Amino acid sequence: MTNSASMSVQRLQKVIARVLHRIVELAARLLFSIVYYGSRETVPPIKNMLLLESASSLAFKIRTKKVTSVEVVESFIARINEVNPLINSFVDNRFDAALEEARSADELIASGSKSEATLAKEKPFLGVPFTTKECLQSEGLSFSAGLYARRNIKGTKDADAVACMKKAGAILLGVTNVSELAMWWESHNYVHGRSRNPYNASRIVGGSSGGEGAILASGASPIGIGSDIGGSIRMPSFFNGIFGHKPSKFIVSNEGQFPLPTVEDHASFLGLGPMSRYACDLLPTLKVIADKNVSKLKLDTPVDMKKIKVFYAEDDGGSLCVSPVDPDIKASLRNVISYLEQAHGIKAQKVSLNLLRLSGPLWFARMKSASGSRFAQELSNNEGNFNVFWELVKWLLCTTHHTLIALFTVVMEGFGAEYGSPKHQHLVEKSNQLQKQFNDMLGDDGIFLYPTHPTPAPFHNEPLIKPFNFSYAGIFNIMGFPATHIPLGLGSEGLPIGIQAVGTYGNDHLTIAMAVELEKTFGGWVAPAVSV
């Protein structure tokens, strides 16, 4: 067979595979639509106007005595108790301790021992409540990472990022739900159950920071901390209509996360970052949790929007087994491009990067390690042997304590390019090429606008039919780039949509500035109904 004939056959095979995948997706969507027909509950309307304030605004009002920390903390505790029976996102609390810390914050402010300016500098979030995902260690709170074998484990100290927030005066309310071992994009496990989307309870909240995304979107927390190794901050932010920022690699300490990557490359893919309803809270929170590494960024550098170069792509070019981008998402991206030209004279350049089609394979290749399977060991809590096939039998008998996707993940670890093989080395080289293309294209003054995810929040369990859709977000983890999810309102299904802004290493200030700019025009987070 000639080379041209062989290529024609390959193209035909890809077309057939794409068509079959689309048919399966559409059939699954029809089935899930029938299963969840009529199940579209939303969280109750917000009645307390304090819940609509940004974390930065609350901090200012607390230290200037316009409102007390106790009032604020009580308001968010009440909201958690109101919405959590529906969304099941908040899994362990320290309400009594939080109220005691709120009283201490009010006493410090009332004493006048420190000026407002001093408090703003030393404790920028004094008296402001926050939440964090359950797989980030918090002293005295659940620290299972959704793994049944760890169901009774409590944190003995605070993760570095949590400790930084507390040092800044913020008050931890509790922890939120995650996927099993934080390695899937639906937050469901056999310790805390399944979390539900506040805009439509039949839809997912994303993962692994899904509980965090849902509790924030519900108006039950003003600021949160998530982690992201394959989109785990940005996808939940997208599905729940809030802002989320994955920082440049190694900026925020990963210490206290479980499971913690043991391979240096993998550790560089994992990024802890802020999640919030308002763009104005991203930068001050990043300053706090970056701690000593904040000097590696340019967060205080003013950004002139007119001088930013903007590049964009509406999709990945047609990856196999990845859903087509929803028309609402494409339309919102086009609206952004149009706005930037009209408001700032930015002539955004549409680009086609062929290697984006390989986003999924590139991510999986870079996640391979010389030590082989790690996920199976983690599922056993690093104790004894883990027999995945026996656990699959137990799943069929409804006696396993592991989610189906976790078991599939163990099975799939044995497939794909073997570490160090020619195919693996080829994919690693391709990922390096793609990173160079982005560095050359963006430089230090460019931003890439791109869908965060191809579809709005799917039904529960539907991600099993669309496992590779995470690749839109995950590809930027293996490059170590900063990426900010920007909500752009609700789509035709009444579900949040949005895009992500990506920059090169160290240019977090550009992607956050874009988030702040677009929030002004497109509205950002859309609150559930407000009752006045």
Side-chain angles (χ1 to χ4, degrees):
M1 183 180 293
T2 65
N3 286 338
S4 60
S6 176
M7 291 177 63
S8 296
V9 170
Q10 290 176 2
R11 281 196 293 268
L12 179 60
Q13 289 174 337
K14 288 181 179 180
V15 170
I16 293 172
R18 189 170 289 115
V19 170
L20 290 175
H21 178 259
R22 189 63 181 143
I23 290 172
V24 170
E25 276 198 349
L26 292 173
R29 169 48 63 106
L30 177 61
L31 175 62
F32 284 116
S33 298
I34 295 171
V35 169
Y36 288 105
Y37 180 77
S39 177
R40 300 187 178 185
E41 289 182 273
T42 60
V43 293
I46 293 174
K47 300 170 186 164
N48 185 335
M49 294 302 101
L50 276 177
L51 302 176
L52 295 173
E53 299 275 357
S54 68
S56 300
S57 173
L58 289 171
F60 174 78
K61 289 186 175 182
I62 289 170
R63 65 175 173 263
T64 56
K65 304 177 186 177
K66 291 178 173 60
V67 66
T68 67
S69 176
V70 169
E71 288 178 86
V72 172
V73 170
E74 286 179 339
S75 296
F76 281 99
I77 289 175
R79 181 63 175 171
I80 289 170
N81 289 332
E82 182 180 32
V83 303
N84 207 51
L86 175 66
I87 63 174
N88 188 40
S89 292
F90 194 84
V91 298
D92 201 6
N93 78 79
R94 58 188 301 276
F95 291 160
D96 290 341
L99 285 168
E100 185 59 38
E101 290 169 11
R103 283 187 280 271
S104 297
D106 289 335
E107 289 170 4
L108 173 61
I109 293 166
S111 72
S113 60
K114 292 189 176 183
S115 67
E116 291 176 17
T118 300
L119 288 175
K121 181 179 180 181
E122 295 181 356
K123 294 185 177 294
F125 287 116
L126 180 62
V128 177
F130 79 105
T131 46
T132 189
K133 63 194 298 187
E134 194 255 18
C135 62
L136 262 186
Q137 186 170 196
S138 301
E139 185 178 4
L141 296 179
S142 179
F143 186 42
S144 71
L147 185 64
Y148 190 80
R150 293 174 56 88
R151 64 193 180 280
N152 296 319
I153 293 180
K154 299 282 186 177
T156 56
K157 63 178 183 178
D158 290 327
D160 287 352
V162 174
C164 285
M165 288 296 289
K166 287 185 175 181
K167 185 179 178 182
I171 298 173
L172 182 64
L173 295 178
V175 291
T176 53
N177 203 21
V178 297
S179 51
E180 187 173 8
L181 279 181
M183 280 298 289
W184 183 235
W185 50 281
E186 177 168 9
S187 291
H188 170 230
N189 57 71
Y190 281 91
V191 181
H192 303 299
R194 189 187 304 277
S195 295
R196 304 176 189 89
N197 195 290
Y199 295 89
N200 184 333
S202 70
R203 304 303 182 103
I204 72 168
V205 297
S208 61
S209 309
E212 194 61 33
I215 211 72
L216 288 160
S218 300
S221 175
I223 195 78
I225 306 299
S227 61
D228 189 321
I229 197 169
S232 293
I233 286 174
R234 287 160 290 149
M235 286 191 295
S237 295
F238 168 80
F239 293 136
N240 294 284
I242 63 169
F243 292 88
H245 179 72
K246 184 200 81 68
S248 297
K249 66 179 182 180
F250 293 136
I251 291 297
V252 179
S253 169
N254 290 328
E255 190 63 36
Q257 162 94 6
F258 184 88
L260 189 64
T262 56
V263 179
E264 184 176 356
D265 271 357
H266 297 179
S268 75
F269 306 156
L270 176 64
L272 272 63
M275 300 172 68
S276 62
R277 296 171 298 161
Y278 299 103
C280 65
D281 289 330
L282 294 176
L283 193 144
T285 307
L286 181 57
K287 282 184 176 181
V288 167
I289 62 177
D291 200 22
K292 296 176 183 178
N293 287 329
V294 72
S295 61
K296 297 179 181 179
L297 302 180
K298 297 167 275 190
L299 300 184
D300 290 323
T301 301
V303 176
D304 183 347
M305 294 300 298
K306 295 185 185 328
K307 294 183 179 179
I308 294 179
K309 296 183 299 184
V310 175
F311 303 84
Y312 72 101
E314 294 181 357
D315 55 44
D316 63 6
S319 296
L320 287 176
C321 300
V322 174
S323 302
V325 175
D326 187 272
D328 284 344
I329 298 172
K330 285 189 174 184
S332 69
L333 176 53
R334 291 169 190 154
N335 289 339
V336 166
I337 298 306
S338 177
Y339 163 74
L340 292 174
E341 181 169 6
Q342 293 175 22
H344 299 288
I346 297 174
K347 294 189 180 298
Q349 182 179 340
K350 188 175 184 179
V351 296
S352 177
L353 301 171
N354 290 331
L355 288 175
L356 282 176
R357 292 193 182 99
L358 296 175
S359 292
L362 296 181
W363 187 89
F364 282 110
R366 295 297 299 273
M367 287 296 289
K368 291 278 185 178
S369 68
S371 59
S373 175
R374 284 285 308 167
F375 196 67
Q377 297 170 28
E378 297 290 359
L379 279 181
S380 69
N381 200 28
N382 294 306
E383 298 171 357
N385 296 320
F386 182 84
N387 189 323
V388 66
F389 299 106
W390 175 237
E391 289 297 332
L392 284 168
V393 171
K394 289 169 66 177
W395 183 87
L396 290 171
L397 298 173
C398 300
T399 59
T400 186
H401 294 303
H402 298 290
T403 56
L404 181 60
I405 191 61
L407 301 179
F408 279 170
T409 300
V410 175
V411 174
M412 293 304 294
E413 275 192 317
F415 292 90
E418 182 181 352
Y419 180 84
S421 67
K423 184 176 181 181
H424 176 260
Q425 293 175 353
H426 172 74
L427 290 171
V428 170
E429 177 58 30
K430 290 297 181 184
S431 74
N432 291 333
Q433 288 179 21
L434 182 59
Q435 182 172 347
K436 184 178 186 304
Q437 287 176 5
F438 270 103
N439 278 320
D440 292 344
M441 178 175 73
L442 300 181
D444 283 327
D445 59 354
I447 283 179
F448 180 61
L449 299 180
Y450 191 57
T452 305
H453 194 83
T455 73
F459 291 104
H460 297 298
N461 291 314
E462 194 178 354
L464 289 167
I465 310 298
K466 307 173 177 180
F468 306 114
N469 282 3
F470 83 96
S471 61
Y472 271 79
I475 187 63
F476 301 109
N477 290 80
I478 64 175
M479 300 183 200
F481 290 163
T484 306
H485 172 69
I486 306 168
L488 296 171
L490 305 181
S492 56
E493 294 184 272
L495 296 167
I497 56 174
I499 58 173
Q500 60 184 323
V502 182
T504 52
Y505 178 83
N507 288 302
D508 301 56
H509 64 302
L510 295 183
T511 65
I512 292 175
M514 181 61 73
V516 172
E517 177 65 26
L518 296 184
E519 182 183 37
K520 296 174 187 175
T521 300
F522 296 93
W525 171 64
V526 177
V530 177
S531 177
V532 294

